[in-house]
Amino acid sequence: MATVGACIFSAVSSPVFRRQIMSSSEKPKRNPILKRVAVSTERTSAATTTVMTETTPTRIFVEKKSSELVEDEAETKQRVNVREYSEEESEGNGKSLKDYFDEAEDMIKSSSGGGPPRWFSPLECGSHTRDSPLLLFLPGYGATVVPYHSCIQPLNALRLMKFTDIQRLETTVVRYHSCTTETVTRRSLIMILVINSAGIDGVGLGLIRQHQSLGKIFDIWCLHIPVKDRTSFTGLVKLIESTVRSESNRSPKRPVYLVGESLGACIALAVAARNPDIDLVLILVNPATSFNKSVLQSTIPLLELIPGQITTMLSSTLSLMTGDPLKMAMDNVAKRLSLQPTIQDLSQDLVALSSYLPVLADILPKETLLWKIELLKAASAYANSRLHAVKAQMLVLCSGKDQLMPSQEEGERLSSALHKCEPRNFYDHGHFLLLEDGVDLVTIIKGASYYRRGRSHDYVSDFMPPTSSEFNKICEDFRWMRVLSSPVMLSTLANGKIVRGLSGIPSEGPVLFVGYHNLLGLDVLTLIPEFMIESNILLRGLAHPMMYFKSKEGGLGDLSPYDVMRIMGAVPVSGINLYKLMSSKSHVLLYPGGVREALHRKGEEYKLFWPESSEFVRMATTFGAKIVPFGAVGEDDLAQIVLDYNDQMKIPYFKSQIEELTATAARLRTDTKGEVANQDMHMPYPVPKVPGRFYFYFGKPIETKGRKRELRDREKAHELYLEIKSEVEKCLAYLKEKRENDPYRNILPRLIYQATHGFTSQVPTFEP
């Protein structure tokens, strides 16, 4: 079986190489640095091996033939727009903690001879498209702290210490934590016990559970730092900087991604500060820039007091604490149904963790711990002193249960200090975020709209459809809305017959859906999933720009609540984005009433607030798109507004909030007159009702193909616009009348029906 993408080379390698092409019959030498991520010895005759060498050190690539590695550019562009990810892609590469430990152990032993830091590309990353950006992974020198009372082995280990050693240790803890000696000697003591996982993280396998998914869209290089390497922080920065400059010069139109954990995040910040003219995208995972606020500040005296053999025993036990170890082990088996496999798999994970402990004994002497903590201290000081010079786009991933550093607080600080920085919080995860189950870096990048192949993000060509696992998770997160509203979908066939379901919806694009926006956009939460489930059609919604662009001046800074919409394909509303979606033959969702409809006042339910001009008709006509008018009814059966815009403007506190939010949000339709131009941003205050039901009615598709010349005339286009608006109003009136005859409009009869017929059964409704 041919393999792709395994390479290892020095970070200081020159962009100029002497090329030696080996015949396919020759077997490449296996690099001693790599064992489990080295090149497979099984190769097809079609595979070609390219070796690039220089005096010292070496840079080795193993590639497939170019025809196997990439597709034609036109095919690649089409695949990016419409590809459907397979189940294998959506579930990641299936790597476990045991794989992580096994491969880390092999690489540590292979590089025990020392040498400079170097790059490698894991085999499981697979092939990527020709225009995929480069991603450099910078590992961290991690550590963690745990409650003393939660560890039995450290307690037994401490009993082996001399009494005088324990006394000195207790005294130091008291001095640093302002507690009494009596408190220190209790089992409930929260004692600072530190491990350093540099021997593990430094190997560059921190992305091991992300390799396969990331490898589809990135060219991945991981930095390997040998255990015995003593390169200074500035030395590491210069090594990375050399690679960044070389690859940026090679592909100047594409960004370079730097994914840094802990110390690696400090390196990424330093490189960005020193190279403001290079197009960089930084993804920082629990950055060590908060070192001065971490418990590590007080660990150096403690480590100096602990004997070397005790240090190893403590490190061995606490090496399990990469975040929340029990959670990590349980997450790996939570999806199993039978008890026996669950216990078996959990045992295997715990055995894998414990089997790794002897490795620490060889690589974590006290001197190494002290040196690397000092390195973290220097890295933090260097990066913080140069934050003002960082101009790169940045995404900070912060763990809520990081026992090592105040990561969430640090994410907020960086976000406030840097205009292009956005935080994402993971409240139930620990310091080693990327090794924990349920964390998919590709999904995070997609949700933040941080994936791009060029100088700026293109919401159409850079979009990747949601994988099956992403879609299933979103459906599960919003399952409550589907249960509460039990949506009814009606569509119109070509002969004008109204049927339940979406059989009347055109399957081939471009299609433009135009309708009424319910209160707070609640209709979208059920509409888009229903289209995916029933028709496998992804609706690309045109959304307000406030969901995409951060504002420093006001309260619209946190964009994470909108990540789900971006994953599902929503784009900022604009003429150019509508043009791109139409040209890519997408199914596009448009609400001409926009914010004014979604944030309507009391008594304005189902009232259209459309502009006077025919904004979308001629655009649809340009591409011969079908226009589907539709109505959505149900907001008044779910909630009732008690405090609307008019009420809030009479209260000084709310009035000032509205003015502040409106000033910081992107302004739309500034040249439009009428009520639709009122784009004041506010939050209506509704009270919930006993849940009713959502109803959607899609009218007969309106053809524009062949009418391009006719609809160039503004009057003709406006006539069609008014016709579409009238059809939407008819759809709303139809649903409001028909729902009165639905015996299952209220949630109680629906629950009774599902209790007797099964909770997955479709609840009946009125006859169309």
Side-chain angles (χ1 to χ4, degrees), residues 128-134 219 247-257 278-281 451-455:
H128 50 81
T129 59
R130 181 177 300 170
D131 58 350
S132 295
L134 175 66
D219 180 10
E247 296 305 317
S248 179
N249 290 334
R250 184 174 302 176
S251 303
K253 295 183 179 180
R254 289 202 293 272
V256 176
Y257 282 71
I278 295 181
D279 186 12
L280 297 174
V281 179
Y451 183 73
R452 55 187 174 91
R453 300 176 180 86
R455 286 287 179 180

Side-chain angles (χ1 to χ4, degrees), residues 610-628:
W610 288 21
E612 294 297 326
S613 59
S614 51
E615 297 176 322
F616 57 84
V617 171
R618 290 199 291 173
M619 182 73 76
T621 304
T622 301
F623 297 95
K626 298 179 179 69
I627 301 176
V628 180

Side-chain angles (χ1 to χ4, degrees), residues 21-42:
I21 308 300
M22 300 167 58
S23 67
S24 59
S25 60
E26 295 182 60
K27 290 186 178 179
K29 294 182 179 180
R30 185 167 177 151
N31 195 296
I33 296 300
L34 296 176
K35 279 191 176 182
R36 294 183 183 273
V37 290
V39 182
S40 171
T41 55
E42 293 183 286

Side-chain angles (χ1 to χ4, degrees), residues 256-321:
V256 176
Y257 282 71
L258 299 181
V259 178
E261 277 190 310
S262 191
L263 172 70
C266 294
I267 297 175
L269 285 168
V271 171
R274 290 162 59 103
N275 299 273
D277 297 330
I278 295 181
D279 186 12
L280 297 174
V281 179
L282 273 54
I283 301 176
L284 312 182
V285 184
N286 297 322
T289 46
S290 61
F291 178 86
N292 61 338
K293 299 178 183 178
S294 73
V295 295
L296 291 180
Q297 286 279 46
S298 60
T299 59
I300 296 177
L302 295 178
L303 287 175
E304 291 174 346
L305 290 173
I306 300 176
Q309 68 271 20
I310 300 299
T311 304
T312 300
M313 297 181 70
L314 297 179
S315 300
S316 297
T317 300
L318 300 180
S319 66
L320 304 183
M321 297 294 158

Side-chain angles (χ1 to χ4, degrees), residues 415-416 418-419 421-423 548-552 556-557 559:
S415 177
S416 300
L418 301 170
H419 179 63
C421 176
E422 291 186 27
Y548 299 85
F549 307 116
K550 178 180 176 181
S551 173
K552 283 288 184 181
L556 294 176
L559 302 180

